[in-house]
Amino acid sequence: MSKKLSIGIVGLPNVGKSTLFNAITNSQVEAQNYPFCTIEPNFGVVPVPDSRLNTLSDISGSKELIPATIDFFDIAGLVKGASKGEGLGNAFLSNIRATSVIAHVVRCFDSTDITHVFGDVDPIRDLEVINTELLLSDLDYVGKVLETTKKKARGNDEAAKKKLALLEALHNHLENEKPIRSYDFSADDMELMSDLDLLTNKKMIYVANVEEGALSEDSQHVETLRAFAESQGDQLIVVSASLENELSQLDETDKLELLAEFGLKESGLSLLSKACFDLLGLQSYLTSGEKETRAWTIKKGMTAPQAAGVIHTDFEKGFIRANVVSFEDFVACKGLKGAKEKGLLRQEGKEYVMQDGDVVEFLFNV
């Protein structure tokens, strides 16, 4: 893959962004009770939870276990007017532009201990502040590109004329307060806008930050936020940043016990990574041997040679075949050798479309 999966965590000041980031990355950036504590986008590389790796590693006796990873950016709290330079301004909008997915943290709990920038909690008002700033930034950006393209179109530049029509439609879409991701693009449109890096075209996940005791059932704040997300075609996950912080300090056994106390089977990180994989159409295939067991992130629909190319371009160029077994069969047969003996190891060629959880051994010749 040419671009790593990266998530930009955004939200108003004091909604729990940095607490969540600390927990997910197990780092110790400041998380103080005042706006603009996060002055540079904090960065962390986080392993994607995948219990299959431990199972494969045990069977193969692997010396090393290497999970897939996600890059996380904790981006400073935005305020109204950010697109015009208010608060910490446009620098932070550009930090969002570098990410694959926006995780929009919205506060869904009341507290007298943690100051809210508006004095009270209102999820829809809060998220609209952020969304409006992203939209205004795109509107300004598209407007500038539109003027440049108009000049080119007057000079009988045919490509510019085609792009001009799309830009005018996008500008109108934004003026009607609609994010670009809700625009119905044709295949030709997608090619024309390939060089436009628009904030509101990014996939968005709303992260409802609740108190630990509110994880088992939706509060009124969460229900309101969920209804909004569904109306926009966006996803919502519910997490407790404070619980995630506790989990980050525990070993795997204690972590599972604490999750069980709250009636949960997986952490917020697991929920978020799964949601992002789904949004971006990603999946993992696995390799396993004595040296290492590893998860490789690929786009759904990739063929075996393309998947091999994620390991090394030479693997794709010299691809001969892929020896493939499903995760379930690998486990049942206790490895590739056992799967082969039972006729469950398949030899797949260049047309094979990879499936999530395939355990693969690539054969190639350079």
Side-chain angles (χ1 to χ4, degrees), residues 31-276:
Q32 301 297 328
N33 182 23
Y34 54 85
F36 310 130
C37 174
T38 311
I39 300 193
E40 293 295 334
N42 293 287
F43 169 74
V45 180
V46 179
V48 177
D50 191 338
S51 60
R52 297 175 302 189
L53 293 176
N54 298 89
T55 305
L56 293 183
S57 181
D58 288 343
I59 292 171
S60 301
S62 303
K63 294 176 183 175
E64 194 172 4
L65 192 154
I66 306 174
T69 60
I70 299 176
D71 290 350
F72 277 91
F73 293 85
D74 176 27
I75 296 164
L78 293 170
V79 295
K80 189 173 182 179
S83 61
K84 302 296 181 186
E86 294 295 323
L88 291 169
N90 283 319
F92 296 94
L93 294 172
S94 66
N95 289 327
I96 300 169
R97 209 177 295 281
T99 63
S100 314
V101 177
I102 297 173
H104 188 162
V105 181
V106 183
R107 180 169 158 180
C108 290
F109 65 91
D110 298 297
S111 172
T112 55
D113 297 326
I114 303 174
T115 307
H116 191 288
V117 289
F118 294 130
D120 65 335
V121 176
D122 182 338
I124 304 304
R125 175 204 59 204
D126 293 356
L127 70 85
E128 284 181 344
V129 171
I130 304 297
N131 288 350
T132 297
E133 294 310 315
L134 299 180
L135 193 143
L136 288 173
S137 178
D138 276 356
L139 191 61
D140 179 61
Y141 176 71
V142 171
K144 289 174 180 175
V145 178
L146 186 58
E147 290 306 309
T148 303
T149 307
K150 278 181 181 177
K151 293 175 183 176
K152 291 180 180 178
R154 291 191 200 107
N156 289 322
D157 183 324
E158 292 303 317
K161 287 179 182 179
K162 288 182 181 178
K163 192 169 186 176
L164 181 61
L166 174 61
L167 288 168
E168 287 173 338
L170 294 180
H171 198 268
N172 183 60
H173 194 75
L174 290 164
E175 283 188 320
N176 287 313
E177 300 181 1
K178 296 176 182 177
I180 295 299
R181 63 182 171 276
S182 68
Y183 186 85
D184 187 16
F185 289 101
S186 68
D188 289 341
D189 288 339
M190 293 298 289
E191 190 173 336
L192 286 169
M193 70 162 292
S194 59
D195 61 339
L196 298 177
D197 194 6
L198 300 172
L199 298 174
T200 64
N201 194 39
K202 292 185 181 297
K203 302 291 187 181
M204 181 176 284
I205 297 175
Y206 289 101
V207 181
N209 183 20
V210 303
E211 293 175 309
E212 293 178 11
L215 281 165
S216 57
E217 58 183 62
D218 286 355
S219 65
Q220 185 58 54
H221 288 322
V222 173
E223 287 180 1
T224 301
L225 183 57
R226 189 182 299 281
F228 176 86
E230 288 176 355
S231 73
Q232 301 298 303
D234 294 321
Q235 289 196 29
L236 171 82
I237 63 170
V238 180
V239 304
S240 167
S242 59
L243 177 61
E244 293 299 313
N245 195 43
E246 290 179 55
L247 291 169
S248 71
Q249 311 301 317
L250 302 175
D251 62 28
E252 198 59 32
T253 302
D254 290 341
K255 189 180 294 185
L256 290 172
E257 287 181 4
L258 182 57
L259 284 169
E261 285 180 27
F262 289 94
L264 304 173
K265 293 182 179 179
E266 55 188 336
S267 67
L269 170 59
S270 181
L271 290 172
L272 185 55
S273 60
K274 284 181 180 178
C276 289

Side-chain angles (χ1 to χ4, degrees), residues 283 298-304 346 348-356 358:
Q283 63 186 19
I298 60 170
K299 282 275 189 183
K300 289 179 182 177
M302 271 191 171
T303 60
R346 310 186 310 274
E348 303 288 0
K350 294 182 178 180
E351 304 303 315
Y352 177 69
V353 176
M354 300 290 292
Q355 302 299 307
D356 185 65
D358 277 346

